[in-house]
Amino acid sequence: MTDILTIMRTSTVIPVLVIDDAATARPLAEALVAGGLRVLEVTMRTPAALDAMAEMKKVPGAIVGAGTVVSTEQFEQVMAAGAEFIVSPGLSQGLGEVIVRSGVPFLPGVATAGDIMRGLDMGLTNFKFFPAETSGGIKALKALAAPFYQCRFCPTGGITEASAPDWLAVEPVECVGGSWVTGGTMAEVEAKARAAAALRG
């Protein structure tokens, strides 16, 4: 994968994964990939995250990235662990410029016009709209996207299986992030992943 837009277009839904036990990571990745969701975002919210990424990268077809990256120290850690893309909840100039210079596919979080303009200044045009539901939902994203016609989005935060189709119907939305696909047995996860992968025909 050479760019974030290609990665965004690979999966209709990007599972947002909070892994507490690295031993569960590989079976979870296998179930998600088997269901058709190849792009996996492992959030840096638990001590097991780095080991979980390493386990998931063993799964053929999986594209494993790091989410909730908020510092250059974390960025260095996830790159050492083999992250194939980076997702951050917001966009700071310091961290953003370091990631952009590295050339690693980067999906920073934005919620305002100022956030997007900061990203454009860095040469970025693909963003995570976060937190999607509490930042005004679909109406807010449509209003934001209008003046930034060149930008594409992955809304994340509060999106459910029921609301995902409405988000995916918004023209500049390439994919959505969600955690609803991750619960239950591995057979249930695979079934949820298959249903999610089919949300956009």
Side-chain angles (χ1 to χ4, degrees), residues 35-130:
L37 300 182
R38 296 174 51 212
V39 180
L40 311 176
E41 177 190 337
V42 180
T43 64
M44 294 294 291
R45 300 182 198 176
T46 69
L50 294 173
D51 290 337
M53 285 178 49
E55 286 298 308
M56 289 185 164
K57 281 180 62 67
K58 297 175 183 176
V59 177
I63 302 165
V64 183
T68 325
V69 175
V70 297
S71 67
T72 53
E73 180 184 12
Q74 278 188 330
F75 173 60
E76 291 166 2
Q77 290 173 341
V78 300
M79 290 309 296
E84 295 172 77
F85 63 95
I86 304 294
V87 183
S88 63
L91 178 57
S92 67
Q93 187 167 352
L95 178 61
E97 288 179 348
V98 168
I99 298 176
V100 169
R101 278 198 304 270
S102 76
V104 178
F106 179 34
L107 191 66
V110 298
T112 67
D115 292 340
I116 295 172
M117 290 174 68
R118 191 179 312 119
L120 291 173
D121 282 347
M122 296 181 197
L124 302 169
T125 54
N126 300 288
F127 302 101
K128 174 172 83 164
F129 179 54
F130 177 81

